Every structure is written in structure tokens, then in C-alpha cells.
Amino acid sequence: MFALWLNWALAFGAIVLVLALAFFIPKNWLPLPVVILSYILFTYSNSRNTGSAANCVLTLRVASLTLFWTAIVMELINILNTRMLFAGAIDWSATNKDIPYITCLILFPVMAIICAWEAIRGYNTGFCRRCQARNGIGPGTGVVASVYSREVRYQLSLLLCVSVILSGIEYWYYAVYYFNVNMNTPDRFFFNIMPMGLYAVSLYFMWLRYTNLGVIIGPMTSNRREHSSQVRFLILSGDYMKLTERADGRLDTPARAEVGAHEFLNEEDARKLFARLSGRDNFELRFLYTGKAYDMTTDMIHYAVILPDDVETRDTGNLDGQWYTLEQISRLLNSARLNAEFSDEIYRIYTTVMAWKTYDQTGRRLYPIKHYRPTFRLRDFGKWDVDYADVSWLRVARTNQDTPFFRTRRFWNKLTGGRS
């Protein structure tokens, strides 16, 4: 809960800081510190989005994008205000060269547009999908994760409301009361001080909100520590994977279990656990990867179980369900029939394998064929010598020799510490 409050404080605080900088930095130079601030926020969000204490940084991402595009608009206005490029084409008689723009009139509309775009796309953005795949967790996985996911979206909605309201107030004051001569005290209050005051109020409001939520969620996470590992087995046989329908109507693997933190230590424990769940011991086990749930107390441990490719030996004993081909699973995924955890597993496995079969770890092609697409068959699962726990393959899938501006993207990832 403190991480949520901190993300809000930094995201909204960076926006307000730009308004404060306008008091001291000339308009011609203001885009530069705004871009630097965007870069710092972007780099920090990358560091918070990976590692053992990963958390959702959507609010920070929105703030970083807002600052970047605000700086672009500011610089364009500065260029236009030089009156060199469009001399004679634009009537400059009503403008004041000493005040080429008012910061908040650019900042809040840009933030409103970006917030609206993120809200409309929801969890379907590439950013959210990569985050879910990398951290092995999706929205709705447990009570704590659901609350966390809801609060991140609440922050986004609140930022959208704040930006729309402030945009309306600022443009109303600009149209009715502002004279383009100088910045007097009422002007500075509406354009700079009022948003800062709103930020201070929001910090207090958010602190109260997350303090109260922490009191509610605290006992839940305390109870979870008694069963702090969730083990999931993907069951494969030849070109088939076994799925079962859960209570909510979505399909998921039939082999999953919760175990205590000190009961599950190694692959041998996993073999015994699956044998107990299924009632059979003739299978091949493959470790995939481990992730953390949003409550930071639950390990999500993923394994693949490979059964002999024989109809008679394909029986999974105590585990109910049906066998599905890869094509059927793809259709179910596109129609949102799959459970969130299983969807994320399939996304991560497919993305990792396709990147591993096509590129090296620097993103360069293994074969001299542009946009080469290797085959992906479930029957080859046991043959793939790829480390699913290595998240660098997710970065390679996104930034490789077949993507535009490959070298520029790779340089940017190094510059910002981006890992996926």
C-alpha cells in the first residue's frame, strides 16, 4: 500500500514540479528539464517494475509520457515563436514573445489525453502484457492482487479526472480573465499555485486511503504467509495440453496447489506433489519460472509436465479435464475463455520460445531471413533448451533486428535500464 502511495506522490509530484520550475526557468529552456525529468521517471519506473519487489508502475508511466509529450509541444511552440519559419504566414500581433505559452495549458490536456488512452485500452496494452508475463501475475489473482490492481486503475481514473477538471478551470480563466501582458498574482495562483495545493491535498487523501486499506489487507497477507507458494503444472502430451473448466467458466490447468513456504524446496518436491495430485508417476518434469504475486508474499511456481505421446498412457488419473490442441487454445485465448494465470503462462512461454528460436540474446537474427517465423509445436516442448526464467528473452521479442530502429531501441534500453 505504501508503494501505491509513493507512485502517486512521484507521478503527480513530477507534474507539479514542472509548474514550480516555470517560476525560475525561462520558457525557452523549460523543455530541457522537463525531458530530463521524464527520463528520470521512466528509468525509475523500470527499476520498480522488475526484480523481487516489482509493482505496477502504470501511474509513473503515464506521468513520464505526459512530461515527454509536453516537452515536445513546448519546444514546437518555442520554435514557432521565433517567427523565422512562418514569417508572414502567422499573425503575431496578439502574442507576447516574452510569454510564448503557459505551462499548465499544455501539461494538463496532454495528461488527460494519455490517461484516457491508457484507460480505454485497459490491460491490453503491450506494457501491461509484458509486465504480467515477466512477473507471472495478472489482475484478479487472489483478493490482495485484485485490490492492488483496482487501486492502480483508480489512480489512473483520478489522474484523468484531475487533469480534465484542471484543464477546464485553467482554460476558463485564460479565456475570461487573462491578459497576455504579464503574469500577475491571480494568474500565478490559477496557473501554478492552485494545482500545487491540489497535489498537497491529494497526498493527504491518498495517505488516508492506503493506511485504511493496509489495515484491511494486513490480516489477509498475514494469513497468506502460512501458504505462501502456489505451484502450477502445465500438462502436455504430444500436441495436446490438458485444461479444465473452473467455477468462473474459464479454462485453466487442472493441476495446481498451495503449499507452505517451507514445504516446497526443490524439483523432487514438485515431482512428489504432481504424483499425489494425479495418482501417476510416469512423467517428465520441467521447471519453467517463478514469480511473485502483488502481495509480495506469494510465490507463483510454474512447471511443465510432459506425458508420453500415447492415447493409452495419456490418462492423468485424478485430474479431470479435456485435451486441447494449440490451435484450439489460441482460439480460446482470443475469445477470453482462458484463466488469467494460464493466459499469462502461455504468453510468456510462446514469446520466450519464439524469441529464443529466432534471435540471439542481443536481438540479432540467427538466420539471414527477415521476419523469419519458426514453428511452435507443443510436442517439441521437452526438446527446447531455453531458460524460461530469463526475462531478457521478453526484451529480445520486443527489440530485435526485425523491429524498426533496432540499434536506437537497444541503445535506449541500455540508457534507461529497460529489461523488457
Side-chain angles (χ1 to χ4, degrees):
M1 292 298 102
F2 175 76
L4 284 170
W5 180 85
L6 182 61
N7 286 350
W8 173 268
L10 292 175
F12 198 2
I15 302 297
V16 169
L17 180 58
V18 173
L19 301 179
L21 291 176
F23 283 118
F24 311 103
I25 300 178
K27 295 294 195 302
N28 291 336
W29 292 100
L30 189 56
L32 179 59
V34 174
V35 167
I36 294 174
L37 191 58
S38 173
Y39 168 77
I40 293 173
L41 210 58
F42 185 83
T43 305
Y44 175 75
S45 67
N46 273 343
S47 67
R48 292 294 300 272
N49 194 224
T50 54
S52 59
N55 62 77
C56 182
V57 294
L58 181 61
T59 310
L60 296 174
R61 169 183 161 84
V62 166
S64 177
L65 288 173
T66 298
L67 293 175
F68 174 78
W69 286 110
T70 296
I72 296 296
V73 174
M74 286 177 175
E75 188 57 32
L76 287 175
I77 294 175
N78 282 339
I79 293 173
L80 289 174
N81 202 62
T82 59
R83 308 181 186 183
M84 295 171 58
L85 297 178
F86 300 96
I90 300 176
D91 180 15
W92 299 103
S93 59
T95 63
N96 185 344
K97 190 175 181 179
D98 296 328
I99 310 177
Y101 57 81
I102 298 173
T103 309
C104 64
L105 297 181
I106 303 171
L107 194 60
F108 293 122
V110 169
M111 184 166 69
I113 292 172
I114 292 176
C115 287
W117 176 250
E118 292 288 346
I120 290 171
R121 298 191 68 188
Y123 294 103
N124 295 320
T125 62
F127 171 78
C128 287
R129 294 297 299 174
R130 289 190 299 272
C131 177
Q132 292 170 26
R134 180 175 57 247
N135 296 315
I137 188 69
T141 310
V143 176
V144 175
S146 297
V147 171
Y148 192 96
S149 176
R150 186 198 66 187
E151 286 304 310
V152 170
R153 288 289 155 179
Y154 173 81
Q155 287 190 358
L156 181 64
S157 300
L158 190 58
L159 271 182
L160 175 59
C161 292
V162 168
S163 59
V164 169
I165 292 172
L166 285 177
S167 295
I169 293 175
E170 305 296 3
Y171 271 94
W172 165 78
Y173 180 85
Y174 178 81
V176 176
Y177 295 104
Y178 178 71
F179 294 97
N180 196 22
V181 177
N182 57 18
M183 294 285 287
N184 55 38
T185 301
D187 296 338
R188 292 190 180 279
F189 172 80
F190 273 91
F191 294 146
N192 299 89
I193 298 175
M194 183 181 68
M196 295 178 190
L198 183 61
Y199 169 62
V201 172
S202 74
L203 282 183
Y204 179 70
F205 169 74
M206 286 295 189
W207 179 261
L208 291 179
R209 180 181 180 85
Y210 293 133
T211 299
N212 292 332
L213 276 176
V215 173
I216 297 172
I217 294 178
M220 298 182 188
T221 58
S222 177
N223 292 335
R224 294 292 295 181
R225 290 189 183 96
E226 299 175 5
H227 301 280
S228 59
S229 294
Q230 294 184 17
V231 187
R232 295 174 52 81
F233 299 93
L234 298 182
I235 306 174
L236 302 103
S237 178
D239 286 319
Y240 294 87
M241 182 179 292
K242 192 162 194 177
L243 302 176
T244 188
E245 187 172 330
R246 301 185 64 169
D248 58 4
R250 298 180 184 273
L251 297 173
D252 192 12
T253 176
R256 56 192 184 276
E258 291 192 5
V259 296
H262 304 292
E263 296 175 10
F264 194 87
L265 302 176
N266 50 44
E267 191 168 310
E268 185 60 29
D269 292 332
R271 177 171 290 276
K272 293 177 182 178
L273 177 59
F274 183 77
R276 189 168 69 249
L277 291 173
S278 63
R280 61 171 297 166
D281 54 11
N282 180 23
F283 59 87
E284 179 185 344
L285 190 67
R286 173 75 185 273
F287 170 73
L288 299 177
Y289 60 93
T290 300
K292 281 282 190 183
Y294 279 131
D295 57 19
M296 289 300 115
T297 65
T298 304
D299 289 320
M300 304 287 288
I301 308 171
H302 306 265
Y303 280 90
V305 173
I306 304 172
L307 303 179
D309 185 14
D310 188 329
V311 175
E312 295 181 356
T313 58
R314 198 177 284 165
D315 177 53
T316 49
N318 304 328
L319 300 174
D320 297 326
Q322 296 181 6
W323 292 97
Y324 293 83
T325 65
L326 187 61
E327 183 181 356
Q328 290 172 320
I329 292 173
S330 178
R331 288 200 300 266
L332 291 168
L333 180 64
N334 293 332
S335 59
R337 287 287 316 282
L338 301 179
N339 181 266
E341 296 99 319
F342 180 71
S343 298
D344 293 336
E345 286 171 328
I346 291 297
Y347 176 86
R348 176 161 177 166
I349 291 169
Y350 178 81
T351 304
T352 300
V353 169
M354 295 298 278
W356 169 75
K357 295 180 73 172
T358 312
Y359 311 100
D360 62 21
Q361 286 198 309
T362 66
R364 298 188 179 278
R365 300 186 195 98
L366 296 178
Y367 309 97
I369 305 172
K370 285 187 177 181
H371 304 291
Y372 170 70
R373 300 296 293 173
T375 58
F376 182 92
R377 301 186 304 178
L378 292 179
R379 66 170 53 251
D380 297 332
F381 207 103
K383 304 175 185 178
W384 294 328
D385 186 23
V386 56
D387 183 4
Y388 297 96
D390 186 356
V391 296
S392 67
W393 290 115
L394 300 177
R395 172 187 52 78
V396 171
R398 182 188 179 198
T399 306
N400 54 65
Q401 213 168 351
D402 288 323
T403 55
F405 309 107
F406 165 58
R407 290 181 176 83
T408 304
R409 287 168 177 259
R410 190 170 62 172
F411 173 73
W412 176 252
N413 282 333
K414 291 180 179 179
L415 198 64
T416 61
R419 281 173 268 184
S420 67

